[in-house]
Amino acid sequence: MDRASILGDAVDYLKELLQRINNLHNELESTPPGSLLQPSASASFHPLTPTPPTLPCRVKEDLYPGDLLSPKNQSPKVEVRVREGRAVNIHMFCTRRPGLLLSTMRALDNLGLDVQQAVISCFNGFALDVFRAEQQCREGQDVPPEQIKAVLLDSAGYHGLN
């Protein structure tokens, strides 16, 4: 397959997905009152996705046992491990806020870390797992893990924590 046909197939697939979203959105809007999920005022512009406030209690308990409903009471967690060569692994978890991913990635870039593989989740707080980041500075000028941790905490709004 050439690029044009691959792009054409991708466009067709995206159109199909958009149609599915619209169908599901229409189905949700036509759900009778008293059902489990109630459409919100903003539903006319965005498809509904279940969020902790709109999930039925029994589902919340299955998904979030005990105190796991909100990470707001949890302190932020950042772990940095230096691997072979100049590779670094990073695990970060904290309360999510708008722009956090962007500020985190900028902080890593400003430290001279080239993120090569990462997984990000904003489902129940903000979680970032960088499986591989390479330090781009000159040999002998590597950024210590403590400094990476401090910069990431600072970029997440937790100034002075270590």
Side-chain angles (χ1 to χ4, degrees):
M1 292 180 70
D2 63 344
R3 287 185 185 184
S5 61
I6 292 172
L7 287 174
D9 288 348
V11 168
D12 291 340
Y13 182 63
L14 287 174
K15 287 179 182 176
E16 179 184 329
L17 290 176
L18 286 172
Q19 184 60 44
R20 285 185 190 175
I21 290 170
N22 288 333
N23 292 343
L24 290 172
H25 179 67
N26 291 336
E27 186 178 323
L28 281 173
E29 283 183 340
S30 66
T31 304
S35 66
L36 297 178
L37 292 175
Q38 296 294 326
S40 65
S42 64
S44 59
F45 297 107
H46 305 288
L48 289 176
T49 55
T51 58
T54 62
L55 288 173
C57 289
R58 62 183 172 74
V59 175
K60 285 182 191 178
E61 290 169 6
D62 289 345
L63 290 176
Y64 314 106
D67 297 33
L68 296 179
L69 266 176
S70 174
K72 292 177 183 169
N73 298 332
Q74 295 179 358
S75 58
K77 178 178 155 185
V78 176
E79 296 173 4
V80 180
R81 292 189 191 107
V82 178
R83 297 294 182 196
E84 70 283 340
R86 308 182 88 196
V88 177
N89 289 18
I90 301 167
H91 171 75
M92 178 177 175
F93 180 78
C94 61
T95 303
R96 69 178 166 180
R97 65 171 176 76
L100 182 57
L101 176 59
L102 182 61
S103 66
T104 302
M105 296 310 289
R106 279 188 180 149
L108 292 173
D109 188 51
N110 290 340
L111 286 170
L113 292 171
D114 179 34
V115 176
Q116 297 173 354
Q117 185 178 13
V119 174
I120 298 114
S121 172
C122 296
F123 178 66
N124 189 24
F126 175 82
L128 168 74
D129 282 300
V130 176
F131 297 107
R132 185 171 182 85
E134 290 283 333
Q135 297 195 34
Q136 300 301 309
C137 51
R138 285 186 230 134
E139 195 68 43
Q141 296 180 344
D142 293 343
V143 181
E146 300 81 25
Q147 183 180 355
I148 296 171
K149 179 179 178 178
V151 168
L152 289 175
L153 286 169
D154 190 56
S155 75
Y158 299 97
H159 308 289
L161 289 179
N162 276 334

